[in-house]
Amino acid sequence: MTFFRNQILFAKKSYDSDAVTFFNRMTVQPNSTRKRLISDFFKGVKSDNGLGTLSQAFDCIWFYAGHNQVETRLNWVKNAHNLTEVNTPTWTLDRGFKGNGSTMYLNTNYNPSTQGINFTQNDASFGIYSRTNEGFVGDTEMGLAILVYPIFLQIRRNTDLMSVGVNSPAPLTVTNTTGLGLFCGTRENSTTIKFWRNGIEISSQASTSQTIDSDNVFTLARSTGAGAVDSYSEREISFGYIGSAVRINQLLLFNRVEEYLDAIGAGVV
C-alpha cells in the first residue's frame, strides 16, 4: 500500500511547477491525462527556449481549445490578461472559439503599450492557430490598429494573401493559400518583420518600427481604439500567444502547440 501511495504522490509532484500554479487557478480541473499534457507543454517550451518560466519570453498564452469554456479564457503565463468573451463567440469542446464575422470577438485585456513586458517595440511576436481553411474578406484574427499596427494578423484573405503588422506603420502581405495551422508575425529589430507558417519563415520584409499603440488587443476582430471594433473574423481558433521574438524559437513552439492539439484531436497540420 505504501508503494502505491508513494507512486501517486510522485506522479502529482512530477507536474511542472508553473503548470501546478496554473491548475490552482482553475475552478473546473482537467483530468490527469490533460494535466500531463499541460505540464508537458510547460516543460517543453521552457526547455526549448532555455527559460526558467514562461514569463521570461511570453506575456500571454491562451489555448482556446480546452476541457472547459471558462478555463480556456485563462492566460497560461500569469493571472492577468484573461479573456473576456464579447457577444458570445461560439465555443466547442477541445476545438476552440469561432467568430461570426459581424459581432463576436474576444478581448484579451492586454494593452501592449502599457502592459507589454516581453512584447516590445523592437522585440515582438504573436500568433494564432487556425482550424478554418477558407479565405475571407478583411477578417482579422488578432488585431490592434489605431495610428500604427502593433498587432495585426489576417491569416488568409479571399485573395490568398496573409497580412501582418508588428509595430508597423501599415500591414505587409505575402501570398498564402492555406488557413490551417499556426500563423505568426515577429519583429527582432527596428527594420524588419517576418511572416511564419507552422514554424517556417515564409517571408521577411522591411518595416521601420513604430511606437506601440495604447489599447487592448482583440482576437477574432480588430480594436481601433476607444472600444471601437471592426474586421470581425469567422475563423475557429485553438491557440494564441503574445511575447518576445528573440527568445522564442518559432519552429519548436509550433511543434509543442501541434503536439498538444493533436493529443486532444484539434490539430489540423
Side-chain angles (χ1 to χ4, degrees), residues 142-202:
M142 184 180 281
L144 167 61
I146 304 173
L147 299 175
V148 299
Y149 288 73
I151 292 181
F152 182 81
L153 174 62
Q154 293 179 335
I155 288 171
R156 182 187 180 190
R157 286 156 43 183
N158 63 322
T159 52
D160 284 337
L161 292 175
M162 173 181 171
S163 292
V164 174
V166 189
N167 304 330
S168 309
L172 302 173
T173 61
V174 65
T175 299
N176 178 52
T177 58
T178 179
L180 299 176
L182 180 61
F183 296 85
C184 305
T186 66
R187 176 183 287 280
E188 299 178 9
N189 54 51
S190 64
T191 61
T192 308
I193 67 171
K194 295 180 180 180
F195 300 67
W196 301 79
R197 181 178 59 223
N198 299 328
I200 304 300
E201 182 186 326
I202 59 174

Side-chain angles (χ1 to χ4, degrees), residues 41-260:
F41 179 85
F42 273 88
K43 288 180 179 178
V45 173
K46 289 195 290 188
S47 175
D48 292 342
N49 296 285
L51 306 174
T53 179
L54 293 183
S55 62
Q56 292 175 341
F58 296 86
D59 289 343
C60 308
I61 289 176
W62 306 279
F63 271 97
Y64 315 115
H67 71 288
N68 175 271
Q69 183 171 354
V70 173
E71 309 306 343
T72 62
R73 301 173 193 158
L74 298 180
N75 177 7
W76 286 32
V77 178
K78 56 188 172 183
N79 191 16
H81 321 310
N82 301 312
L83 302 169
T84 300
E85 297 178 40
V86 181
N87 295 321
T88 319
T90 302
W91 182 79
T92 303
L93 177 70
D94 284 341
R95 295 299 179 267
F97 283 103
K98 186 179 188 302
N100 64 353
S102 59
T103 60
M104 301 172 176
Y105 66 97
L106 299 165
N107 185 339
T108 68
N109 297 299
Y110 172 80
N111 183 324
S113 175
T114 60
Q115 298 170 318
I117 297 173
N118 295 294
F119 185 99
T120 61
Q121 181 172 336
N122 296 317
D123 179 12
S125 71
F126 68 97
I128 287 285
Y129 191 101
S130 165
R131 302 189 71 253
T132 306
N133 194 26
E134 185 179 354
F136 296 106
V137 179
D139 286 22
T140 300
E141 279 65 54
M142 184 180 281
L144 167 61
I146 304 173
L147 299 175
V148 299
Y149 288 73
I151 292 181
F152 182 81
L153 174 62
Q154 293 179 335
I155 288 171
R156 182 187 180 190
R157 286 156 43 183
N158 63 322
T159 52
D160 284 337
L161 292 175
M162 173 181 171
S163 292
V164 174
V166 189
N167 304 330
S168 309
L172 302 173
T173 61
V174 65
T175 299
N176 178 52
T177 58
T178 179
L180 299 176
L182 180 61
F183 296 85
C184 305
T186 66
R187 176 183 287 280
E188 299 178 9
N189 54 51
S190 64
T191 61
T192 308
I193 67 171
K194 295 180 180 180
F195 300 67
W196 301 79
R197 181 178 59 223
N198 299 328
I200 304 300
E201 182 186 326
I202 59 174
S203 182
S204 177
Q205 299 185 24
S207 173
T208 301
S209 71
Q210 307 290 304
T211 302
I212 302 172
D213 277 338
S214 182
D215 205 354
N216 285 356
V217 175
F218 293 165
T219 300
L220 294 175
R222 177 177 67 170
S223 167
T224 57
V229 192
D230 69 5
S231 192
Y232 297 89
S233 176
E234 300 175 60
R235 290 195 185 278
E236 185 174 60
I237 55 173
S238 297
F239 166 85
Y241 89 94
I242 301 172
S244 166
V246 174
R247 283 162 283 161
I248 298 172
N249 183 301
Q250 291 294 320
L251 177 58
L252 297 182
L253 176 62
F254 164 71
N255 289 341
R256 296 295 180 183
V257 171
E258 188 66 30
E259 179 181 39
Y260 181 90

